[in-house]
Amino acid sequence: MSDPNIRCPSCGHESPAGFRFCGNCGASVSEKPPGLEQAAGARTLYFGAMQQPNRAKLILIKGEGLDGVSYLLNADEHLTGRTEGEIRFPDDPYLSPRHASFFYHEGALFVRDEGSVNGVFVRIRDAVPIQPGTRLLVGEQLIELGEISASEGRQETDGEGTHLYTSPRRPGFFKVIQLLRGGAIGMVFRAPTQNVSLGREGNDINFPDDPFISGRHASIGVGAEGFTLTDLRSKNGTFVRIDQPYHLHHGDYVFLGQQLLRVEIT
């Protein structure tokens, strides 16, 4: 039995089997092998590294908030640092050789400081509790929360009981300490009220020369439940240094050395 003719999809003319083009209008009449038909509008995708379900990736943020390189976290644990680990930033002098780990526990993603010199900072979403000694990143400013001890109000004297000339200490609820490069202490602000604001201008504490700080950036307060840090909807966010493994969620930001990373979880 001879093969059936092929009907042209354009004009309806029948051509002998095996013809690639219609003998009447010239349109293509070749048949595709079974299983290779594609739905209208479908396209072939390029092969590449694939993000597994329920796994995360880190996206490096470049200047002006643009996305840079992505790092898929498909293994159970990923180490990052300057010279060690699966994710390395060899040109970042503020990263320790072995700095932090991203790992999964019971299906959730965590980040852990691996004893780094400069720490791991996470951007806060809402008001969060903090403790004396907690370090914060507000713009380019590294800030530490300090307590005011009872001994600070004592008058200093020499060995013969003569009082020394000093500036008077004002009453305060807590201290906000600016930490400078090289380990030096910069400004020390004694909070005269239970809540102080930080920003570029019009606040209790201002950093007018810091281009990464919003006008009203963050606030620190103290009450019956302890100390609280609040981001005031700043453009670049407020970051807290973690001291234990931290549970990460989709959309979180992590700051390591000079690297800002966004977390995306499928």
Side-chain angles (χ1 to χ4, degrees), residues 55-243:
R55 294 281 161 155
K57 64 179 177 180
L58 302 176
I59 300 177
L60 182 66
I61 305 302
K62 304 188 297 183
E64 299 299 323
L66 300 177
D67 290 352
V69 179
S70 295
Y71 304 92
L72 298 179
L73 304 181
N74 287 335
D76 291 334
E77 183 166 350
H78 297 77
L79 176 66
T80 181
R82 192 175 71 250
T83 59
E84 298 183 34
E86 295 76 24
I87 304 174
R88 302 181 186 182
F89 301 96
D91 298 325
D92 189 337
Y94 295 98
L95 280 176
S96 294
R98 180 185 180 92
H99 198 101
S101 289
F102 294 88
F103 66 96
Y104 295 97
H105 177 68
E106 296 182 350
L109 178 66
F110 289 79
V111 60
R112 177 179 60 229
D113 189 345
E114 296 292 350
S116 66
V117 172
N118 292 309
V120 176
F121 292 81
V122 177
R123 183 173 180 171
I124 65 173
R125 292 177 181 265
D126 303 305
V128 297
I130 57 175
Q131 303 294 328
T134 299
R135 293 190 173 184
L136 328 168
L137 276 177
V138 180
E140 290 186 311
Q141 308 304 316
L142 180 60
I143 302 295
E144 183 175 298
L145 175 65
E147 283 187 300
I148 295 178
S149 63
S151 62
E152 291 187 14
R154 296 173 185 172
Q155 182 69 44
E156 297 181 356
T157 60
D158 66 0
E160 297 178 340
T162 304
H163 288 274
L164 304 178
Y165 277 124
T166 57
S167 297
R169 293 183 184 272
R170 302 301 182 189
F173 288 87
F174 55 88
K175 292 186 292 187
V176 177
I177 305 168
Q178 180 189 32
L179 304 177
L180 304 178
R181 291 181 179 177
I185 293 178
M187 175 202 65
V188 178
F189 179 84
R190 296 169 64 89
T193 62
Q194 290 179 283
N195 191 86
V196 298
S197 62
L198 299 85
R200 193 174 58 250
E201 57 188 6
N203 301 275
D204 300 297
I205 307 173
N206 297 297
F207 301 96
D209 298 325
D210 189 333
F212 298 100
I213 284 186
S214 297
R216 284 181 57 81
H217 197 106
S219 67
I220 301 174
V222 62
E225 301 299 323
F227 296 93
T228 302
L229 173 68
T230 304
D231 181 77
L232 302 179
R233 303 181 69 179
S234 65
K235 182 177 181 179
N236 291 310
T238 302
F239 292 76
V240 175
R241 182 172 179 172
I242 63 172
D243 57 5

Side-chain angles (χ1 to χ4, degrees), residues 239-259:
F239 292 76
V240 175
R241 182 172 179 172
I242 63 172
D243 57 5
Q244 58 185 349
Y246 184 89
H247 182 192
L248 293 169
H249 299 83
H250 178 77
D252 278 344
Y253 286 83
V254 181
F255 196 81
L256 310 169
Q258 293 180 313
Q259 312 304 318

